Amino acid sequence: MKTYKAVLVAVPMLFISALFVFHSKADSIETMTSNIIVYVLMNVFFFMMVLTGKTYKYRMIIFISAALLFPIGFIYHNIIARGSMLVSLSTIYECKVPFCHIVTPMLIIPAALAKTIPFPGTMTGSYASIASMLVLLFSAIIVIGRGWCAWGCFYGGWDECVSKFRKKPLYSLNNRFWKLLPYAVLVFVALMATYTLTPVYCQWLCPFKPVTEFKAVSTIQDIITAVVFFSMFIIFLIVLPLLTKKRAQCTCFCPLGPTIIAFLNRFNIFTVRIDTTKCINCGKCIKICPLNAIDEKSLITGKTLSQCAKCARCIDECPRKAIMYYIRGTKLGVHPNAARLIYLYSAWILMVAVLGGIISTSLSIIFKLLLHL
Amino acid sequence: MNRFKSIFGYVTAVALFFFLMFSFIRSDILEKLIVATGIHPTEWYSGGKVITIKQCNGYVLEIHQPVFNTVYGDVTYGFVQLTFKGQPDLPDIIHQAVSIDNYDFTIETDVKTLTTKMVNPGKYAQKIVWTYTFSDKSLNVRVGLKNQKK
Ligand code: SF4
């Protein structure tokens, strides 16, 4: 795109992102500095995306930075709020545990049948309250479908980051076991949570526990769960992404993204399509897709699978420029840039509001800690 | 038809962008909608709603609704949560008889050591589940109950 056009397209983002980055008064110079850094960075990246037509690398930098920085802000908040990264029983029974979107699959049945949520959180008015997180998740899914998993989720950057380390994969997740595993996890945690009225995934399985919070180790059961958490972290966030070059946790284990959100993604207005008239069947997109969302059939039908998180890696790397963002109902390839820009506006706003906020909070904590050393 | 579908597609995509903006800027409205559905954290964590408030000597006692309910109906063993709020501080020892929904029992709590013992379990009180102080400085005791109806 020509520079003056790119400037015109990117200018509204300057105003919209300011609404989110500067929405509350900065309480310190460190907070103001980190807000400004995030604001400038997000707008420079957005402008570059518009100007160059490339999406993936700019998205990836923010996505990975937010995931790696998230634990700093989260743990710091917990230390300030309750004196420790560990969750004590009194915190649990006081219902003061921050809600996380991955709990959502476990609350569907209990909420539908008994209006109850198997999670020790607060409905409103607290850090990561249940209602606020549900609003965020539902709005994101309605607007960009599984785009949430590449533009909004503050965990996914961990396995995306580790998947970059090796040049070539040594192992493939493209078999029945790994494809069915997330559904098995979903059914297991949804039924067990309904039966026990506890967030089973958070209590027993979550690979992100070692970098967020978990129960103080005081019983044999606590020791076993701690071992499980660290094992899950090593398997799904380090070993498998390293061996497969895929986002292993997000593809094979998360009970939310590859199952429920992927299902809803089928009805989302935005999708990624392959122009079969341009495609030369080189198979590069199949190899590089971090979520296994393109298979041989996709190259014939032109449709990516419902697992697609619209991360744009295949779009950017297709040697024939045959893959593009697409708005359902429109004619493929007629205004591909319009579809891309409309999508990018929504996805980037989500990124600014959620991941930009996380980066800014964590940076300001780092600055404060450095200044007080 | 194709033209109509195309226009509809673009209009919906742009409208969704505005919806996203709205949902961030006025998230309070959407949060209220979620709260209005009546969903809430399970009483097995929250302790259930307070149904009786008693003014005692030097403190206020809040008695929560006994909890037996699960998704698949009431269970045999549940609990009742008692919240003691000091005025301003709690006495060192609380000796408390409780009578709620025909569950009668007496407990004694040492506020300093956070230990509670059952003085008189009555017919349905089982055991002390736990004793904790919360961040609002209230003292909370959970007493295990056997469901009278089971
Ligand atoms: S199909 Fe393309 S856009 Fe979708 S997740 Fe895979 S690489 Fe990303």
Side-chain angles (χ1 to χ4, degrees), chain A residues 272 289-291 293-294 304 308-314:
Chain A
V272 170
C289 174
L291 293 165
I294 306 187
T304 51
C308 174
K310 300 154 203 179
C311 71
R313 182 157 189 204
C314 56

Side-chain angles (χ1 to χ4, degrees), chain A residues 110-359:
Chain A
L113 297 181
K115 291 193 174 180
T116 192
I117 297 173
F119 190 83
T122 331
M123 280 312 288
T124 53
S126 64
Y127 174 74
S129 68
I130 296 171
S132 70
M133 291 300 287
L134 289 179
V135 165
L136 173 65
L137 179 69
F138 291 160
S139 313
I141 296 175
I142 290 170
V143 179
I144 59 169
R146 208 186 171 197
W148 164 264
C149 300
W151 300 81
C153 177
F154 36 85
Y155 291 132
W158 276 86
D159 44 351
E160 179 148 11
C161 175
V162 178
S163 73
K164 299 274 155 211
F165 288 158
R166 279 188 60 85
K167 271 228 160 71
K168 281 194 175 152
L170 290 173
Y171 177 68
S172 167
L173 295 172
N174 227 336
N175 59 53
R176 265 177 85 82
F177 173 76
W178 294 112
K179 279 186 184 162
L180 291 177
L181 186 60
Y183 296 97
V185 176
L186 169 68
V187 171
F188 174 74
V189 298
L191 293 180
M192 284 301 286
T194 305
Y195 180 67
T196 62
L197 282 180
T198 59
V200 181
Y201 185 83
C202 320
Q203 281 182 335
W204 285 99
L205 300 170
C206 179
F208 296 104
K209 286 288 167 191
V211 288
T212 50
E213 59 177 0
F214 56 92
K215 238 180 94 204
V217 176
S218 56
T219 62
I220 299 281
Q221 187 191 322
D222 297 337
I223 296 172
I224 297 170
T225 50
V227 170
V228 173
F229 289 147
F230 278 92
S231 309
M232 290 297 179
F233 180 82
I234 291 167
I235 295 170
F236 285 99
L237 298 179
I238 297 181
V239 176
L240 282 175
L242 209 57
L243 293 181
T244 61
K245 288 193 64 60
K246 302 284 175 193
R247 287 174 57 184
Q249 144 75 12
C250 312
T251 314
C252 306
F253 200 68
C254 176
L256 178 63
T259 55
I260 296 171
I261 304 184
F263 172 74
L264 297 172
N265 200 27
R266 291 165 196 258
F267 311 104
N268 189 241
I269 191 92
F270 298 105
T271 174
V272 170
R273 283 272 167 96
I274 305 161
D275 186 340
T276 50
T277 58
K278 288 186 187 167
C279 174
I280 50 166
N281 283 334
C282 69
K284 187 172 184 189
C285 51
I286 301 175
K287 245 185 257 155
I288 59 171
C289 174
L291 293 165
N292 280 339
I294 306 187
D295 58 9
E296 275 82 14
K297 228 172 115 195
S298 311
L299 304 186
I300 300 163
T301 61
K303 292 178 181 169
T304 51
L305 305 180
S306 60
Q307 311 293 339
C308 174
K310 300 154 203 179
C311 71
R313 182 157 189 204
C314 56
I315 300 175
D316 285 1
E317 293 196 25
C318 174
R320 295 297 302 256
K321 300 268 164 281
I323 311 179
M324 62 204 82
Y325 282 113
Y326 170 74
I327 292 174
R328 280 181 215 275
T330 61
K331 226 167 164 223
L332 186 68
V334 173
H335 296 297
N337 212 26
R340 175 176 178 265
L341 288 176
I342 298 172
Y343 176 77
L344 281 189
Y345 253 93
S346 292
W348 201 250
I349 284 301
L350 177 71
M351 217 169 206
V352 172
V354 182
L355 304 190
I358 286 168
I359 294 173

Side-chain angles (χ1 to χ4, degrees), chain A residues 89 94 96 115-117 121 199, chain B residues 23 40-42 45 130 132 135:
Chain A
L89 283 174
E94 223 179 328
K96 287 214 161 154
K115 291 193 174 180
T116 192
I117 297 173
Chain B
S23 75
H40 56 276
T42 171
Y45 284 126
W130 51 247
Y132 287 120
S135 53

